[in-house]
Amino acid sequence: MAADMRLPTIRKTVSLSASAFDRKDLVVPGDVITSDTGFMRGHGTYVDDDKLTASVAGEVQRVDKLICVRPLKTRFNGEVGDVVVGRITEVQQKRWKVETNSRLDSVLLLSSVNLPGGELRRRSAEDELTMREYLQEGDLISAEVQSVFMDGALSLHTRSLKYGKLGQGVLVQLSPSLIKRQKTHFHNLPCGASIILGNNGFVWLYPTPGQQEEEAGGFYTSLEPVSLSDREVISRLRNCLLALAAHKVLLYDTSVLYCYESSLQHQVKDILKPEVMEEIVMLTHQKLLEQEG
Amino acid sequence: MARVQVSEAEKVYILHGIRDDLRVDGRGCEDYRHMEIETDVVSNTDGSAKVTLGHTAVLVGVKAEIGKPRPTVPTEGYLEFFVDCSANATPEFEGRGGEELGTELSNTLYKVFNNKRSIDLKSLCICAGEHCWVLYVDVLLLQCDGNLYDAISVAIKAALFNTKIPKVHISSDDEGGKEIELSDDPYDCMRLNVENVPCIVTLCKVGHRHVVDATLQEKACSVASLIISVTHKGTITCMRKVGGGSLDPESIFEMTEAGKRVGKALHAPLMKLLEQEESLGKKRQKVYTCFPGLPLVSPQPPREESGAK
């Protein structure tokens, strides 16, 4: 019950690689990237006194003559095939609007979801009227980016059994830059919970489903109470994710799992204390380095 | 207040978690998030404090001005509250969006803190019926992540502890007129006794149980909450119900008991921390820097060493 009160202290982020300062491809706004006039000015750069200068903090990328800076702190810039976790904000004619941490709300068309009753079902006018029964405002979904519109808005689809409405669990909102791109973003972690690392920085933690649910087109959600042990694992994972994000560690199944293992000696609620966070992330770093060899 | 959307299934998850005394972030029902407190952060105030509770951050400044006592209580000074909801906290506060919340907060704070049982208002009196110290307490919300009341009350207590009011000297001239002189010495000052200043504990009724220090997600699952101000002895000084739902008498009783328990436990670590910080003095590493351009203190003419009649 006791409240934990303390004086604030200046903390540095834990990093074992001191070489980050020597890396030439990391820039801050105002850094001159090149004074060679032969290059083209891309996103995140501007020309000042014939010198190509960065306008955002991030990583320099060069494609032939085009120089861009990919910002580290950014909203989600979706690409086709990205896995996202999003929240329905609006139900419209034949489409849902989805909040996916990008600059514009994404759309999920009625024609790009699997409705109960098989993939080849025709969509009737009734389906349009009962859209809110499938997904209503506030609901969370996992989906894949189907296409990107001209203005950068995303079109999503859930035409696979792994996508669809999300049931009980915890959403953690992080920066999209921290999610490592991988072959799969759905993981059943050996510690007893599952995780969806959305490319948009939204991470969904949920109890590992027992058996494959019956054919419900992904719109069925179980409201059965989750067991206390599962809850503890999920809460621990949530706090671990926040700790890793606070120290800017790239998130993927291994790093999350190592962090979970390092945190086991602490109580779940203590993980978010700054000094514990530092210790756990340090251990995770070491484990990751060892694993790399 | 900043709103968050929560889906039905998430609500069920949160509700069951609270029933089992394990919340989403691993806390029990009567646990606070970890709190960071720093005082003396704004140089152009007489006392200030910044408190962060999870992602909730509030900044409080106290400024003492010489004013006229209220006619009904000529021998007491008084406190004035103003809560500024910065649009930095949430875009909803943009324009006049935060005004309603600001007034609601400042009215509650006035009720809780401005009475002689919380602060020795008599010590703020300079000259009965003519001059007294008025403490302008300005609260700035920097970030909202639930549980504003508790964070603000802790910040106010810390800021009042930090407040240094210059000593005054009253001299009367031959014609019977009085002259007030402020002491030039920054160390020659009066400190307030904050022993009896209460802290606010907000209890949110979620399902059949109640939680303290609710996050925005938990708040979205609760129908009603009870705001209780508790002194270090465990005395309840003020109570308010907020939210649209209703509470049955039995749960109100349970919640006040829990509030007493939690509130009482809040004071000791706070006072210990404040005294520790005070003893560090100039050696303390300042973390939060405040920019002078910040519109924290309501614009008022500078204090003069003028002889008022």
Side-chain angles (χ1 to χ4, degrees):
Chain A
M1 178 173 84
D4 172 52
M5 295 182 183
R6 61 183 67 206
L7 295 172
T9 47
I10 299 167
R11 287 180 190 276
K12 291 193 184 104
T13 48
V14 185
S15 173
L16 290 183
S17 56
S19 58
F21 291 101
D22 306 327
R23 279 178 60 177
K24 285 282 181 294
D25 59 335
L26 293 179
V27 287
V28 294
D31 274 1
V32 175
I33 301 167
T34 176
S35 40
D36 190 342
T37 47
F39 288 104
M40 269 159 46
R41 178 175 57 91
H43 286 297
T45 59
Y46 64 98
V47 177
D48 182 34
D49 262 348
D50 284 339
K51 289 186 201 105
L52 202 59
T53 318
S55 64
V56 289
E59 187 190 8
V60 179
Q61 287 177 327
R62 191 173 72 93
V63 179
D64 291 335
K65 292 265 151 196
L66 180 72
I67 289 184
C68 303
V69 180
R70 200 169 60 90
L72 289 177
K73 191 176 176 185
T74 173
R75 284 193 164 261
F76 173 55
N77 295 310
E79 285 161 39
V80 175
D82 280 353
V83 175
V84 298
V85 174
R87 197 185 286 280
I88 307 287
T89 56
E90 237 177 288
V91 183
Q92 296 179 333
Q93 285 254 312
K94 291 186 192 174
R95 75 190 62 203
W96 289 276
K97 286 275 178 188
V98 190
E99 212 278 298
T100 52
N101 198 25
S102 50
R103 292 185 179 80
L104 295 162
D105 271 353
S106 311
V107 293
L108 176 69
L109 290 168
L110 180 61
S111 58
S112 42
V113 299
N114 272 347
L115 293 178
E119 265 174 60
L120 296 167
R121 208 184 106 171
R122 274 186 63 117
R123 275 157 194 80
S124 57
E126 265 130 76
D127 283 332
E128 267 180 59
L129 296 173
T130 56
M131 272 173 67
R132 203 172 255 114
E133 276 173 30
Y134 301 127
L135 293 170
Q136 61 170 340
E137 290 90 344
D139 280 351
L140 283 167
I141 55 157
S142 64
E144 191 179 291
V145 177
Q146 186 167 39
S147 60
V148 183
F149 293 120
M150 287 280 282
D151 57 358
L154 306 174
S155 173
L156 310 175
H157 80 90
T158 62
R159 285 195 153 275
S160 159
L161 277 182
K162 57 182 181 181
Y163 303 127
K165 190 172 168 182
L166 299 172
Q168 294 193 64
V170 178
L171 179 75
V172 191
Q173 299 187 19
L174 307 166
S175 161
S177 323
L178 290 173
I179 310 289
K180 187 173 181 177
R181 275 177 193 285
Q182 279 191 300
K183 205 165 143 194
T184 171
H185 287 258
F186 290 75
H187 301 284
N188 291 336
L189 299 176
C191 54
S194 298
I195 189 169
I196 304 175
L197 290 153
N199 279 117
N200 57 342
F202 287 12
V203 180
W204 180 248
L205 295 162
Y206 60 109
T208 308
Q211 73 284 347
Q212 277 307 309
E213 278 139 35
E214 288 95 73
E215 189 83 1
F219 291 105
Y220 167 76
T221 53
S222 155
L223 297 181
E224 285 293 304
V226 179
S227 73
L228 194 61
S229 53
D230 279 351
R231 255 169 217 291
E232 209 177 312
V233 172
I234 290 176
S235 296
R236 188 178 285 279
L237 278 170
R238 172 197 181 267
N239 290 356
C240 283
L241 281 171
L242 290 175
L244 288 173
H247 290 277
K248 313 279 183 288
V249 180
L250 213 53
L251 298 174
Y252 54 108
D253 52 343
T254 323
S255 66
V256 174
L257 204 59
Y258 282 170
C259 187
Y260 178 87
E261 284 166 7
S262 324
S263 78
L264 282 173
Q265 51 187 310
H266 295 281
Q267 270 199 309
V268 178
K269 61 180 174 188
D270 291 337
I271 298 174
L272 289 180
K273 288 183 183 166
E275 69 277 359
V276 178
M277 209 143 81
E278 223 163 83
E279 184 195 321
I280 293 172
V281 174
M282 202 67 146
L283 282 171
T284 314
H285 257 304
Q286 272 162 0
K287 283 188 183 178
L288 285 172
L289 282 179
E290 273 167 33
Q291 186 231 7
E292 278 167 23
Chain B
M1 173 87 98
R3 290 249 152 256
V4 285
Q5 272 190 314
V6 182
S7 77
E8 284 306 313
E10 278 179 283
K11 262 187 198 172
V12 169
Y13 185 84
I14 292 174
L15 273 161
H16 285 158
I18 287 171
R19 196 192 58 190
D20 295 347
D21 200 23
L22 181 75
R23 289 153 78 176
V24 168
D25 43 10
R27 288 181 291 157
C29 284
E30 291 183 5
D31 285 328
Y32 268 87
R33 284 170 285 180
H34 116 124
M35 203 185 286
E36 283 186 353
I37 300 163
E38 191 176 10
T39 58
D40 200 14
V41 283
V42 192
S43 57
N44 49 3
T45 59
D46 294 302
S48 57
K50 192 204 174 213
V51 168
T52 50
L53 177 68
H55 281 119
T56 301
V58 292
L59 183 64
V60 170
V62 179
K63 199 134 171 74
E65 305 264 340
I66 293 178
K68 215 169 159 47
R70 303 256 155 93
T72 45
V73 275
T75 56
E76 290 178 8
Y78 59 96
L79 281 79
E80 292 249 331
F81 290 91
F82 180 74
V83 182
D84 185 11
C85 302
S86 153
N88 287 330
T90 153
E92 279 167 56
F93 292 160
E94 221 171 296
R96 312 184 64 138
E99 228 163 68
E100 202 183 327
L101 177 70
T103 339
E104 192 193 315
L105 283 167
S106 52
N107 286 344
T108 310
L109 294 177
Y110 187 80
K111 254 192 189 154
V112 171
F113 291 104
N114 188 48
N115 58 62
K116 54 177 181 279
R117 279 175 194 86
S118 299
I119 301 171
D120 183 16
L121 294 175
K122 286 222 165 69
S123 68
L124 296 175
C125 177
I126 299 168
C127 182
E130 283 177 50
H131 301 290
C132 68
W133 286 109
V134 183
L135 297 182
Y136 290 94
V137 181
D138 293 285
V139 181
L140 180 67
L141 305 183
L142 299 168
Q143 270 188 81
C144 293
D145 186 24
N147 208 14
L148 286 174
Y149 280 99
D150 301 20
I152 292 175
S153 74
V154 169
I156 289 179
K157 183 158 180 168
L160 287 174
F161 176 86
N162 182 239
T163 301
K164 298 178 182 77
I165 305 171
K167 286 244 171 72
V168 287
H169 183 72
I170 306 169
S171 57
S172 43
D173 55 18
D174 330 328
E175 288 133 45
K178 280 175 185 163
E179 203 156 300
I180 296 177
E181 258 179 67
L182 288 178
S183 167
D184 282 332
D185 183 6
Y187 291 100
D188 185 25
C189 56
M190 179 175 86
R191 299 293 290 265
L192 291 166
N193 180 10
V194 293
E195 201 193 353
N196 290 321
V197 174
C199 279
I200 300 177
V201 178
T202 313
L203 294 124
C204 280
K205 182 93 182 166
V206 183
H208 293 291
R209 290 188 71 154
H210 45 260
V211 294
V212 300
D213 193 16
T215 59
L216 284 180
Q217 281 79 13
E218 285 163 340
K219 183 101 202 235
C221 301
S222 104
V223 281
S225 39
L226 207 58
I227 293 170
I228 304 172
S229 69
V230 189
T231 64
H232 69 115
K233 285 183 193 136
T235 320
I236 291 176
T237 60
C238 184
M239 196 156 100
R240 242 192 96 194
K241 201 218 84 175
V242 289
S246 54
L247 297 169
D248 60 284
E250 206 175 302
S251 67
I252 291 183
F253 178 74
E254 271 173 36
M255 282 159 93
T256 44
E257 286 303 309
K260 261 193 218 172
R261 207 163 51 233
V262 175
K264 223 171 137 179
L266 213 55
H267 286 274
L270 175 62
M271 288 315 286
K272 202 178 138 208
L273 185 83
L274 290 174
E275 261 144 35
Q276 183 204 339
E277 188 176 22
E278 178 90 4
S279 66
L280 282 176
K282 285 226 164 62
K283 279 181 289 176
R284 181 170 63 93
Q285 189 183 27
K286 289 206 177 182
V287 175
Y288 184 75
T289 43
C290 185
F291 300 103
L294 208 72
L296 169 69
V297 178
S298 42
Q300 263 139 10
R303 196 160 58 211
E304 292 164 74
E305 269 191 47
S306 63
K309 205 189 85 152

